[in-house]
Amino acid sequence: MVQEVISTEEDKRLIQNAYRQLLRSIKSNMDDTDRKNIRMAYELAVEAHSTQRRKSGEPYILHPIAVARICAEEIGLGPTAIVAALLHDVVEDTDVTLHELQDKFGARITKMVDGLTKLDGAYNSDSPQAENFKKVLSTLVEDVRIVLIKMADRLHNMRTLGAMPPHKQLKIAAETSYIYAPLAHRLGLYAFRTEFLDLCMKITDSEDYFSIAKKLQETKKAREEYISSFIDPLKEQLEEIGIKYRIFGRAKSIYSIWNKLKNKQVPFEEIYDLFAVRIILDVEPKKEKLYCWQVYSVVTDVHKPITERLKDWITTPKANGYESLHTTVVGPGGRFVEVQIRTERMDEIAERGFAAHWKYKGVNNSDDVFERWLDSVREILEDPEGSPVEFVDSFKSNSLFNEEVYVYTPRGDMRVLPKGATALDFAFSIHSDVGYHCTAIKIDNQIVPMGRLLKNGDRIEVVTSNNQKPSEGWLKLVTTGKAKAKIRSAMKEERRRKGELGREALERKFKNLRIQSNDDAMETLVKHFGLTSHVDLYYAIAMNTISVVDIFRTFKAEQGKLKLIEEPLPKEEPKRDAPIKRPRKDTTQAPRLTINGEPGEQYDYHLATCCNPVQGDKIFAYLTANAGLKIHRINCPNATNLMVNYGYRIMKADWSNDSPQTNFVTKLKITGIDDGPGVIERLTSQLSLMGLNIRSMNIAGKEGFFESELSLVVANTDQLNQATRALKNLSNISTVTRIE
Ligand code: MN
């Protein structure tokens, strides 16, 4: 592809403007060397990217400049990271080499750019996302800034995703919600997480996204009026305290509103907590706590508090470093309003997490939450067992991303464990030896099952005995990565120990047969039995699941080597990853599709039953291991998992325009007020009035409410939407939702 050099005056002006804005956005102190390095990085990047344009048509260099600016302005990173951000794509996409960077910028920056290049490489390849996730975390423990720059890179790409073809947008959105949103949360980059999730939703559920955005816009004025009626009476009294403060109402994100709509099954109009009020105090570090509670007392004097909704993350910050005082009060008109009270320092940590954390290191004495977290990430990374997919599962369920419980040792020392951790997890968290030898656990002086979930405030005592050993079953009793890793490695050790007998038995036999290389012979057997390691073989022999007698019925020694007595037929490996073109059997009834832009009739495809796509839904095709192609909706609950782990099996699919009238089965969930048999009558007659067939229907009433699930036969999404609207308009019906 021939690309012209960027030379128009317009382009030059754009680039220089962007650079000037970048320089203005840098808040940290810089010396002459820093300024020189940034200038040098900028000039090198401009030159290196000079022939490239982004999909949107703008000069490519605007991207690294924008990423550097996000690093400076939104994360608050310093000059080193800004230089690395400016250079983050040069090694990947241009002729510039790491050696060149080493000469000009030194080892530290080169290492960062190298890290970023490797992460990029991971994304462009088709390797499963679980492996990529692991790579991101390894980079994280090496130098957090690399991952922070990568976040900025991903954020800018997400903000400018519009120019990409839709299937690429989907893949990037899936990766973002799988890796970056949870990581942003865990690193305390709340603003990033919120924006990631909003941008993902805009792609995967665009209709809902724009409809909520529109409603927020329409209700903005009324909301602002309400917020002032809430804030005004507070202001007077806050002035009396005599400190600098800011107070404002803040709308919640579209994604979080959407979640509420889905979870509570109520219409937009009935969601009251669309916003929270935040009070930010500018006070000296020593008096933070004092003033926060003083402001709390003012707020609750003016508006009545709901006491059980008080959350004090100032005394005990969240594991990701978040500090704030939250309370819910009854505002004008009886509406519940959440009020968040914090200082400027806490606010910066809340918005920028990890990055801001370094700046304030040592300000509050809470021990270093991030260091502790990085340690646990390291521990999991060092666990040699398990596949990357297991790794991600353990990482996510291990709740390194989630909330935590606070429990106590018998001496009253507090320990923080992830929510979902069990009594046995606690034993392992004290020390791996305590875990290994744990025979019983007492909580508040009562013996409890080892798998008992921990609750806040539990006082836990572990009883140990030197005769105790971990067993396979323990893996089911723990949830933390640390305990799992320790149990697995103990099990492995146990297998190895028991396997010694098996190894000795084999070696004796080899010696008798004058086998020359034990290693080669073992390898032959490992392969023959489809095992993964020698240890597995020794163990199987020791446990007699493979008998030595049988082995030497199948194998013989020949010139000092182990040979199979009967040569098996060569097995042909079925090719799995190339789509098998096998025409559909009946082409008359099925909906017509195009797959990767070609007529779909040449493939054997079926509609997925997990999400039941209907003509008109946005869809993609997934190549299964043996059942041809499955067609899923892009917002199928399984879609993210499929896209991130098996991206190479995803194909683009669209409905053909010339599809004949086809029937699709779709499921609706309907809730409402149960006014007797009239309900079923109303629902069914409305549907038959519309000429729609009901495949099945069940209905359950409870305390005046009913819930019904019905399978409906429709021709396309238009018909489905019409039906949904019509049902919603019937009397006493509260919600009608499509279910998966
Ligand atoms: Mn980039």
Side-chain angles (χ1 to χ4, degrees), residues 54 60 63-64 67 85 88-89 93 120 150 153-154 156-157:
R54 303 193 81 208
Y60 191 87
H63 166 66
V67 172
H88 83 268
D89 277 335
D93 299 340
D120 246 7
K150 186 71 206 166
D153 181 30
R154 176 51 59 116
H156 186 247
N157 284 334

Side-chain angles (χ1 to χ4, degrees), residues 560-573:
K561 281 189 176 145
L562 207 57
K563 279 270 149 61
L564 204 57
I565 293 173
E566 278 172 309
E567 289 292 327
L569 293 172
K571 262 194 232 158
E572 233 181 278
E573 270 290 309

